[in-house]
Amino acid sequence: MSEAPLRPSAVKPVLNKRRAARFAAVQALYQADAGDVAIDRVVAEFQAHRLAEIFEPLELDEPSPAVDGKWFAILAGGAWDARERLDPAIESCLASGWTLARCGFLLRACLRAGAFELAERTDVPVRVVLNEYVELAHLFFSGDEPAFINAVLDRLAPILRPQQSPVT
């Protein structure tokens, strides 16, 4: 997998407050993991300096949407705090020979955020979680990563949310 951290692809998805929050949360998780920085510090930095202009590099035809700051903080902090519990479940859904370490920082950030939503945010339907992280993957990657994220989260959904199938 070719990791292109924080470099958006040519795909321009529809952006709303929640998707913007997910986009920022993936970036914050990446920064905390790659820089070995406390997530609270990263979240505070994003809230103070980065959320207002998080989409500037995308050069959208329309003005960037506002970011749901509360949702951003829930996702970034929650996914980071749950990683010790969720990482083994994520790894169990990877192809043979793959580990989260092999996935790299950015792919790992996407998978952790998606896994957190599946595990802890049952108010968001499974199909929405899968769709959101596949769409986000198109912003970050230009290769097979969106399909990879879809496959892993699709395998993870019945483990983390056995009462709800991906098509509900």
Side-chain angles (χ1 to χ4, degrees), residues 86-88 90-91 94 98-104 108 111-112:
L86 294 176
D87 283 1
I90 296 168
E91 282 204 325
L94 297 176
W98 276 82
T99 64
L100 271 177
R102 181 177 175 195
C103 289
R108 187 167 49 243
L111 292 172
R112 283 176 171 163

Side-chain angles (χ1 to χ4, degrees), residues 76-153:
W80 187 257
D81 291 344
R83 71 190 187 285
E84 288 183 24
R85 179 173 51 86
L86 294 176
D87 283 1
I90 296 168
E91 282 204 325
S92 75
C93 294
L94 297 176
S96 179
W98 276 82
T99 64
L100 271 177
R102 181 177 175 195
C103 289
F105 294 113
L106 188 54
L107 194 54
R108 187 167 49 243
C110 290
L111 292 172
R112 283 176 171 163
F116 173 75
E117 276 201 66
L118 287 171
E120 302 296 331
R121 300 305 306 202
T122 57
D123 55 318
V124 181
V126 169
R127 64 181 166 73
V128 171
V129 174
L130 272 61
N131 182 64
E132 286 298 307
Y133 288 95
V134 169
E135 290 297 319
L136 288 176
H138 285 290
L139 290 172
F140 293 113
F141 301 103
S142 59
D144 295 333
E145 292 85 356
F148 182 88
I149 288 170
N150 185 58
V152 173
L153 293 179

